Amino acid sequence: MPDLVFLLPDGSEHGLEAPVGVSLMQVASGAGIAGIVAECGGSAMCATCHVYVDPAWVARLPAPLPNELELLECTAAERRPESRLSCQIRIEPALDGLRVQIPDRQT
Ligand code: FES
């Protein structure tokens, strides 16, 4: 299982092993990572699962689809080039070592 690291707004880091095949949002929610609201349950309709992917990882992830790009216009926290919706990132073995930052707010 790939190891992931979540960086929280307070500066703390939480590392965990993520099962392959689920979404990054499901991993965070299941592990009780604070700051992922995921109001729509992963249907790409709410933008409350916003994360900042470590810049070193941006090009290593599958590119966002048009609906994700559109919804990223609606994030509560600043949208950055490394912004993604965590419900749209599927965990694969190649993501071992992925680091993502949780924004300071989702609503
Ligand atoms: Fe709603 Fe990701 S959980 S867009």
Side-chain angles (χ1 to χ4, degrees):
M1 293 200 290
D3 288 314
L4 310 182
V5 177
F6 292 91
L7 295 94
L8 302 189
D10 67 3
S12 63
E13 294 189 8
H14 292 268
L16 52 84
E17 287 187 335
V20 169
V22 301
S23 73
L24 182 61
M25 177 277 282
Q26 290 173 309
V27 172
S29 297
I33 301 292
I36 296 292
V37 177
E39 278 175 357
C40 78
S43 304
M45 295 178 68
C46 72
T48 61
C49 64
H50 178 207
V51 295
Y52 300 120
V53 173
D54 185 300
W57 279 88
V58 170
R60 298 167 69 176
L61 296 176
L65 297 175
N67 66 328
E68 179 181 352
L69 289 172
E70 190 175 328
L71 204 51
L72 282 168
E73 306 280 345
C74 307
T75 57
E78 172 196 12
R79 180 185 180 179
R80 302 179 190 163
E82 65 272 28
S83 288
R84 294 294 303 262
L85 298 180
S86 59
C87 71
Q88 300 302 300
I89 298 174
R90 195 138 310 272
I91 302 300
E92 305 167 7
L95 298 190
D96 185 48
L98 175 68
R99 296 170 65 86
V100 297
Q101 182 180 351
I102 308 293
D104 60 0
R105 63 188 189 284
Q106 296 283 7
T107 58

